[in-house]
Amino acid sequence: MSSPGEFYKSLPPISKAYGTLCLLATLGAQLQLYDKSSIELDYRYVIYRYQVWRLITSLFFLGGFSINFGIRLLMIARYGVQLEKGPFDRRTADFLWMMIFGALTLLVLSLIPGFGTPFLGISLVFMLLYVWSREFPNAAINIYGLVTLKAFYLPWAMLALDVIFGSKIMPDLLGIVAGHLYYFLTVLHPLAGGKNILKTPMWVNRLVARWRIGAQPIVRARAQPESERSTSGAFRGRSYRLSD
């Protein structure tokens, strides 16, 4: 079994960076190094006081130290890492673009009355969970040793558990909406004969290359097993292994 240090070093770059920033954001608030209200998303401060950092900092706060915080961090370490090592293997720029698109989508959704939430970190984690559930729809997931279900249903099961335990439903819903929008534009729409209108911009590829973050994108053709082809569209996914 690897040590915590070895495990941390083995994590892919984007998931590792995001999880680390989320941990530092919560740790800083817990140690009272800053007031968490100074990093929450409030468009009044962004527009009238030019506090544009709120558009970014609100994406990294997952709440105070608690069981829920630990679960969100583990979701990044498991589902984010499996995405980056599986469907996005050697496609660091594409994975970074997915995160950027998700963040931008959440910021836009937060402008809609009734959809606003002060912190978007949980929503971005839920977006990762949703995309993972669509990429590995038939993986068996055991929830707290009580029930086993297909990964396709996991986001909705986690949302239901959050409601039962008294957490707000809106952050989870925003993440599911952002995740579905990304998956529809990049996978479902092209599979239906449409054009992929959400290709990774060149500036993202250049950023990854300039800072030598992970690997450069490599287009791979992966054959789908016959069993996956016969599965209904809702459970399609892209047939990747969970061995990583």
Side-chain angles (χ1 to χ4, degrees):
M1 182 178 294
S2 61
S3 66
E6 292 173 338
F7 171 75
Y8 182 76
K9 289 181 180 179
S10 70
L11 297 176
I14 306 303
S15 297
K16 177 165 63 176
Y18 183 63
T20 301
L21 288 171
C22 289
L23 177 61
L24 292 176
T26 294
L27 183 63
Q30 202 73 23
L31 296 176
Q32 298 184 343
L33 298 179
Y34 65 88
D35 186 347
K36 66 179 184 179
S37 64
S38 66
I39 68 169
E40 69 179 19
L41 180 62
D42 190 326
Y43 281 104
R44 294 172 300 176
Y45 288 96
V46 173
I47 296 173
Y48 299 113
R49 299 190 182 182
Y50 309 108
Q51 296 180 3
V52 293
W53 66 80
R54 293 175 180 269
L55 299 174
I56 299 175
T57 55
S58 61
L59 296 164
F60 300 111
F61 190 73
L62 301 179
F65 284 127
S66 64
I67 293 178
N68 281 339
F69 168 77
I71 291 174
R72 305 307 180 205
L73 212 57
L74 287 173
M75 287 167 66
I76 299 173
R78 179 176 182 182
Y79 305 119
V81 168
Q82 286 185 356
L83 274 177
E84 199 168 350
K85 286 187 174 182
F88 291 90
D89 183 33
R90 301 191 62 80
R91 294 171 53 209
T92 304
D94 293 342
F95 189 80
L96 177 59
W97 173 237
M98 181 189 72
M99 296 289 288
I100 294 173
F101 174 80
L104 294 175
T105 301
L106 293 172
L107 290 171
V108 172
L109 290 174
S110 295
L111 286 168
I112 302 174
F115 284 79
T117 181
F119 299 106
L120 296 173
I122 293 176
S123 301
L124 195 54
V125 172
F126 246 78
M127 177 199 171
L128 284 175
L129 174 64
Y130 183 86
V131 175
W132 177 88
S133 73
R134 297 306 301 263
E135 293 287 0
F136 303 103
N138 294 313
I141 300 295
N142 186 280
I143 299 181
Y144 302 133
L146 299 176
V147 62
T148 300
L149 71 164
K150 289 182 180 292
F152 181 83
Y153 298 109
L154 183 59
W156 305 102
M158 295 298 294
L159 183 148
L161 287 174
D162 280 350
V163 172
I164 291 173
F165 291 121
S167 298
K168 294 182 179 179
I169 191 175
M170 189 54 64
D172 298 0
L173 278 178
L174 289 177
I176 290 175
V177 171
H180 183 74
L181 181 61
Y182 173 83
Y183 194 77
F184 174 80
L185 293 175
T186 59
V187 179
L188 299 181
H189 184 58
L191 282 175
K195 184 179 179 181
N196 184 358
I197 60 176
L198 202 63
K199 292 182 179 179
T200 302
M202 186 57 65
W203 65 267
V204 178
N205 288 289
R206 290 173 178 168
L207 179 68
V208 169
R210 180 178 180 84
W211 293 97
R212 298 180 180 179
I213 306 171
Q216 293 301 298
I218 294 179
V219 178
R220 293 182 176 181
R222 303 196 182 206
Q224 273 192 328
E226 190 65 34
S227 59
E228 286 291 331
R229 295 195 192 105
S230 62
T231 309
S232 64
F235 290 83
R236 182 162 289 173
R238 286 190 274 189
S239 305
Y240 296 98
R241 291 180 178 271
L242 283 172
S243 57
D244 290 325

